[in-house]
Amino acid sequence: MADALKDKIADVFDEPACGTNVSKSEQQRKKGCAKPLTPGAAAGGCAFDGAKIVLQPIVDVAHLVHAPLACEGNGWDNRGAASSGSERYRTGFTTDMSELDIVMGHGERKLFRAIREVIEAEAPPAVFVYATCVPALIGDDIDAVCRAATEKFGTPCIPVNAPGFVGSKNLGNKLAGEAMLDHVIGTLEPETLTPYDINIVGDYNLSGELWQVKPLLDKLGIRILGSLAADARYKQVAYMHRAKVTMMVCSKALINVARKLEERHGVPWFEGSFYGISDTSASLREMCRILVEQGADAELLDRCEALIADEEAAVWARLEGFRARVEGRRVLLYTGGHKSWSVVAALQELGMEVIGTSVRKATEEDKARVTEIMGDDKHMFDNMAPKDMYRLLKDAGADVLMSGGRSQFVALKARMPWVDVNQEKHEPYAGYMGMVDLLRAIDRAVNNPMWEELRAPAPWETPLTETRTLPPLSGECPVTGIAGTGRAVSLVPPLPPSGAALAAPVEVAGFTSSTTDFEDC
Ligand code: SF4
């Protein structure tokens, strides 16, 4: 590993703004945040994958992966981060390194040619060049190639040095943030500035969630000047140093960016969430409070309170419509990264019973709120093995599981409705109106008439107690072409075994073979 990359990783592992990091010993800190892998469990993405996840939602940039084909094959597309404009981010660009390039040391030349090709074909505002394991191991200097290409073509070429082998997806997230701090943030100046300019960091506009929140900001006259990522444009990343406050939506990913923006450019930051009613209100309040501290008119606070009152009243009025359909339903929440307590509070308010919630990515503060709302901490758990989750769903008589995609099969095995609340979901659940969409999804799942039929015993599981006549078979079998007999079939209940019949062994005389294979029919 190059010395510069080693130093960068050591720097990222030392994060004074992260409570967990600060509480670690010097030795533990050097190991980073990656958890030891469990044999048989999915390992999660590599550092390159983490870097790509963070940066790919910058929609107008050409994302060029310097790698053999498989790396971009794995990282292509995105997690449903939506764009309101350019679709360039959805195209996979790669140098597609071959054995010959590796053996002959042609990697850097190939990368330079690929940069030229993508600039000529796409004219992007910038090219992000991602390092991966193979070029990093053979010593390709992507920083030098990017410098030369920027000089030659006049388009910023940004090296993103997070080859997969250096660590986990989380480390890749942070290294991507470092690349933006080193090469992009502060390189352009916005035409106008207002006291209402903010940065949003770590919201990926999954399924268009940011668009459920942006109208609220518009009503308050707040402008998203800088963004990483959330439907971002390259210039928005470059403008981040001029915002008045940074809202960090996911502290796990990019806390280093928020902290360094404050240290280098004096932009204060706070951590917030737009998931759940109370969280959305708290985030808006905090954002406005800091904006006023930074020079915005104090009447912003009154407008913010008025907006929150209107929106909360409107959303509760709409949620009331679902009360009769969801009241008394029992929910198991396995939500991972989202803030559990704010969703728990809203579900309980509508008469639903939350039988358990995972707090594996929640902060200590979140855990305290969950305990407060649910009465004790016995409903909280970190991770749950699928077999335990199955048992809990069955034993606790749950009506619905809300989780990420990996748990859906546990719910289906337990013949239980499942609502996707993770990053791959296809519906946005952010802001006030997002809660209405979430309740609509829960209602749709738990009240689907399919479940009653699915849980009823199959016809062949019900013992036959009296003779039943089935209607005559008509038409012909589409596979064999054999015509139906036209005769009705009677099903006669089996005779109860008599002692004599049991005593005498039955001799099997042999089966009458059919010319028709029944399985095919
Ligand atoms: S671990 Fe390395 S080779 Fe595998 S996808 Fe990540 S960057 Fe590519």
Side-chain angles (χ1 to χ4, degrees):
M1 200 190 307
D3 287 345
L5 185 54
K6 265 191 213 156
D7 294 346
K8 186 59 84 184
I9 291 169
D11 180 37
V12 165
F13 279 167
D14 188 7
E15 180 50 69
C18 170
T20 315
N21 189 283
V22 170
S23 66
K24 285 179 177 173
S25 67
E26 191 66 26
Q27 201 58 29
Q28 283 174 320
R29 205 170 296 145
K30 280 187 188 149
K31 291 183 185 158
C33 306
K35 291 194 177 126
L37 297 179
T38 312
C46 64
F48 154 66
D49 184 35
K52 193 92 188 295
I53 282 171
V54 164
L55 299 181
Q56 187 159 4
I58 303 170
V59 296
D60 53 354
V61 161
H63 300 274
L64 174 60
V65 179
H66 186 34
L69 190 59
C71 295
E72 176 58 350
N74 291 335
W76 182 78
D77 206 354
N78 66 83
R79 305 179 299 169
S83 166
S84 59
S86 174
E87 288 290 313
R88 184 173 297 119
Y89 73 124
R90 304 200 65 227
T91 305
F93 300 105
T94 175
T95 48
D96 186 15
M97 292 177 82
S98 66
E99 287 93 336
L100 207 60
D101 298 320
I102 296 162
V103 173
M104 304 299 286
H106 289 166
E108 290 176 355
R109 234 182 301 163
K110 197 165 192 185
L111 175 60
F112 189 83
R113 280 206 304 271
I115 293 173
R116 179 169 56 205
E117 203 177 318
V118 82
I119 289 173
E120 284 172 1
E122 293 281 329
V127 182
F128 285 3
V129 176
Y130 297 83
T132 57
C133 292
V134 170
L137 285 170
I138 61 173
D140 280 3
D141 187 347
I142 69 162
D143 291 68
V145 176
C146 284
R147 258 196 315 273
T150 304
E151 216 167 278
K152 172 101 179 155
F153 308 121
T155 299
C157 298
I158 312 300
V160 183
N161 241 325
F165 65 80
V166 300
S168 65
K169 187 156 80 175
N170 178 265
L171 175 61
N173 295 157
K174 292 188 167 55
L175 290 175
E178 289 294 322
M180 296 301 102
L181 284 161
D182 290 347
H183 301 285
V184 184
I185 294 172
T187 55
L188 294 174
E189 290 296 333
E191 281 174 16
T192 55
L193 286 174
T194 77
Y196 304 93
D197 292 341
I198 63 161
N199 288 328
I200 297 235
V201 169
D203 179 291
Y204 303 117
N205 197 27
L206 302 178
S207 320
E209 285 189 329
L210 184 74
W211 300 329
Q212 289 181 314
V213 175
K214 191 158 179 303
L216 302 172
L217 303 179
D218 290 344
K219 280 184 194 168
L220 291 171
I222 293 172
R223 175 171 75 150
I224 302 176
L225 176 75
S227 178
L228 185 72
D231 189 20
R233 308 297 186 270
Y234 176 73
K235 63 180 184 190
Q236 284 184 287
V237 185
Y239 293 163
M240 287 178 83
H241 63 301
R242 292 292 179 219
K244 296 286 183 277
V245 58
T246 299
M247 174 171 170
M248 192 176 55
V249 179
C250 176
S251 68
K252 301 279 173 191
L254 290 166
I255 195 168
N256 54 333
V257 174
R259 176 179 60 86
K260 288 184 179 174
L261 267 172
E262 182 164 37
E263 284 172 5
R264 294 180 190 176
H265 305 287
V267 184
W269 60 277
F270 72 100
E271 192 183 349
S273 162
F274 288 127
Y275 199 66
I277 296 169
S278 38
D279 261 8
T280 304
S281 300
S283 299
L284 289 175
R285 277 194 188 104
E286 184 65 358
M287 185 184 292
C288 292
R289 188 189 66 75
I290 301 177
L291 282 174
V292 169
E293 261 179 26
Q294 295 288 303
D297 201 319
E299 55 82 44
L300 177 64
L301 299 176
D302 298 334
R303 284 196 290 119
C304 177
E305 287 305 326
L307 178 82
I308 289 172
D310 284 356
E311 293 289 333
E312 287 198 358
V315 74
W316 281 116
R318 290 189 66 183
L319 289 177
E320 273 303 317
F322 292 98
R323 183 183 289 277
R325 298 178 61 81
V326 299
E327 198 161 26
R329 302 292 190 155
R330 294 163 70 83
V331 189
L332 179 64
L333 270 168
Y334 198 57
T335 53
H338 289 300
K339 301 241 167 178
S340 299
W341 65 264
S342 132
V343 178
V344 168
L347 298 183
Q348 284 185 335
E349 189 73 28
L350 287 168
M352 298 180 81
E353 190 183 339
V354 179
I355 57 173
T357 180
S358 82
V359 286
R360 61 205 156 113
K361 293 184 187 173
T363 61
E364 288 307 316
E365 201 183 315
D366 293 331
K367 289 180 191 171
R369 279 307 293 272
V370 174
T371 310
E372 189 186 313
I373 291 166
M374 299 185 74
D376 53 46
D377 62 2
K378 69 175 190 280
H379 303 277
M380 297 193 305
F381 54 88
D382 280 325
N383 280 312
M384 195 178 272
K387 69 174 184 338
D388 297 330
M389 187 184 285
Y390 178 85
R391 194 90 333 270
L392 184 66
L393 288 171
K394 285 286 194 188
D395 292 351
D399 291 298
V400 60
L401 171 68
M402 292 168 65
S403 71
R406 283 186 209 160
S407 315
Q408 68 172 301
F409 301 104
V410 181
L412 295 178
K413 270 194 154 183
R415 299 186 197 181
M416 194 128 318
W418 166 74
V419 175
D420 191 353
V421 287
N422 215 357
Q423 58 205 10
E424 312 86 1
K425 66 188 181 305
H426 298 290
E427 282 187 80
Y429 300 137
Y432 300 110
M433 287 307 128
M435 277 309 287
V436 177
D437 293 330
L438 181 61
L439 259 293
R440 190 178 292 119
I442 294 173
D443 173 24
R444 214 169 40 214
V446 297
N447 291 312
N448 192 323
M450 176 188 88
W451 298 109
E452 204 181 311
E453 292 199 17
L454 193 73
R455 289 167 188 157
W460 53 88
E461 287 170 352
T462 315
L464 203 58
T465 52
E466 57 187 30
T467 303
R468 267 171 56 198
T469 305
L470 299 180
L473 293 172
S474 58
E476 58 182 43
C477 170
V479 179
T480 62
I482 295 174
T485 59
R487 287 195 305 274
V489 178
S490 290
L491 298 178
V492 183
L495 287 173
S498 71
L502 282 176
V506 179
E507 207 169 312
V508 179
F511 297 103
T512 315
S513 185
S514 165
T515 49
T516 312
D517 184 346
F518 233 60
E519 286 293 317
D520 281 348
C521 241

